[in-house]
Amino acid sequence: MGLNCNNNDNVSVESVSHILSYVKLEDVMPELDGYRTRIIYDSAMVKDLIVLQYIIPHFSRFKDTYLVLYSEALYYKFKKRICSLIEKLPELERSFENLKVIKIGLRDECAFGELVGFVKQGNLQDEFNGLMKNLENIGSNDVLILYGSVAYYLTAIGKKAFKRLIDMFSILPEGLTLFGFRSSCCTSPEINLIGDLYDVVIHVRKDEQSFDDSTFCFRVDCQFRGSCNRHGKLRIENGLLKSII
């Protein structure tokens, strides 16, 4: 059952159980090691901050962490997010220095981390083949962050995209820690089917019962580990994403 953000004066045994199962997002990160996790979000800023404040700092400390960026526009946005975050949390700079970047774009350059793979943006088939070639170098003990949404391929390539995405997931080594993302506003039968390729799904949505636009609920769903089914809340404060209980 999902997180109930409604205030209720009649506290049931079930609601008490939900309260006791609240967890900080940073405490969820170790549980995702070795699994394929999809994050469904309704705020692009929250998505970015989860990647920058939680996923990359946690995993880049002890694993080779790869980030796939699609387009110069997305690269520019990501770079600005990193610069803004480092101003607030200088200690995170080392995390981004350790990052390994696979970029699909127009310019063979990257202002952060190490550019370990570059695919010239242009023909869709060539882009996808180039990405597949770069993914072959990723090991089973590594982390892969598919920062761009797969919805682009589904829209641009059409029916062939789902087969190609299946092929992409199939070449990824067992034991890899994978993160993929989907906007809650973006849905289709194909996109929903892609969800079956993940072990864990984290739903992050605005708390409709809060009196502001900066509080969010998250729910962690997985079928294979009962302890992994967790709930929590997040709040954006001064441009940072903080867990609240």
Side-chain angles (χ1 to χ4, degrees), residues 153-203:
Y153 284 110
L154 291 172
T155 301
I157 306 176
K159 294 181 179 179
K160 295 181 179 179
F162 184 69
K163 170 63 166 62
R164 290 174 180 173
L165 288 167
I166 291 291
D167 292 341
M168 183 185 76
F169 273 75
S170 297
I171 70 167
L172 297 177
E174 185 177 353
L176 175 74
T177 302
L178 174 71
F179 291 93
F181 304 87
R182 175 174 76 81
S183 168
S184 58
C185 299
C186 184
T187 184
S188 72
E190 292 84 3
I191 291 175
N192 290 334
L193 284 171
I194 291 171
D196 292 337
L197 304 177
Y198 290 91
D199 305 311
V200 182
V201 178
I202 300 179
H203 302 264

Side-chain angles (χ1 to χ4, degrees), residues 19-39:
I19 293 172
L20 294 177
S21 69
Y22 269 37
V23 66
K24 293 182 178 180
L25 185 59
E26 53 266 38
D27 295 333
V28 173
M29 290 297 117
E31 298 183 4
L32 304 178
D33 189 7
Y35 295 109
R36 303 181 179 194
T37 300
R38 190 185 212 187
I39 298 177

Side-chain angles (χ1 to χ4, degrees), residues 31 199-201 220-230:
E31 298 183 4
D199 305 311
V200 182
V201 178
V220 184
D221 293 336
C222 58
Q223 300 300 320
F224 51 86
R225 290 176 58 195
S227 64
C228 184
N229 293 287
R230 305 288 194 91

Side-chain angles (χ1 to χ4, degrees), residues 21-160:
S21 69
Y22 269 37
V23 66
K24 293 182 178 180
L25 185 59
E26 53 266 38
D27 295 333
V28 173
M29 290 297 117
E31 298 183 4
L32 304 178
D33 189 7
Y35 295 109
R36 303 181 179 194
T37 300
R38 190 185 212 187
I39 298 177
I40 301 176
Y41 61 93
D42 61 7
S43 166
M45 177 176 287
V46 170
K47 166 206 168 185
D48 290 347
L49 292 176
I50 289 175
V51 174
L52 295 171
Q53 279 188 247
Y54 292 89
I55 296 175
I56 292 175
H58 175 75
F59 287 101
S60 66
R61 291 183 293 107
F62 61 98
K63 290 192 173 214
D64 286 340
T65 301
Y66 293 80
L67 174 76
V68 175
L69 282 173
Y70 185 90
S71 81
E72 294 297 327
L74 196 59
Y75 161 73
Y76 175 78
K77 171 191 172 185
F78 199 80
K79 181 174 69 172
K80 296 291 285 185
R81 286 271 199 259
I82 288 178
C83 292
S84 176
L85 188 60
I86 289 177
E87 289 180 0
K88 299 179 177 68
L89 298 173
E91 64 271 20
L92 293 185
E93 185 171 3
R94 176 65 63 90
S95 299
F96 303 123
E97 290 176 353
N98 294 336
L99 197 59
K100 300 180 183 297
V101 180
I102 299 172
K103 179 183 176 184
I104 303 172
L106 300 176
R107 291 182 288 277
D108 185 2
E109 61 185 27
C110 187
F112 53 87
E114 178 186 2
L115 185 63
V116 297
F118 175 75
V119 180
K120 186 72 172 180
Q121 188 176 343
N123 179 274
L124 289 172
Q125 182 63 52
D126 292 341
E127 290 175 2
F128 193 78
N129 290 341
L131 175 60
M132 292 280 280
K133 184 176 181 180
N134 278 281
L135 294 182
E136 291 176 353
N137 298 322
I138 295 177
S140 61
N141 195 44
D142 297 338
V143 179
L144 175 62
I145 303 170
L146 299 174
Y147 181 72
S149 173
V150 299
Y152 172 81
Y153 284 110
L154 291 172
T155 301
I157 306 176
K159 294 181 179 179
K160 295 181 179 179

Side-chain angles (χ1 to χ4, degrees), residues 197-226:
L197 304 177
Y198 290 91
D199 305 311
V200 182
V201 178
I202 300 179
H203 302 264
V204 186
R205 62 179 177 84
K206 183 180 178 300
D207 182 359
E208 299 295 341
Q209 302 303 316
S210 67
F211 296 102
D212 55 53
D213 293 323
S214 59
T215 304
F216 297 81
C217 303
F218 72 84
R219 184 181 81 242
V220 184
D221 293 336
C222 58
Q223 300 300 320
F224 51 86
R225 290 176 58 195

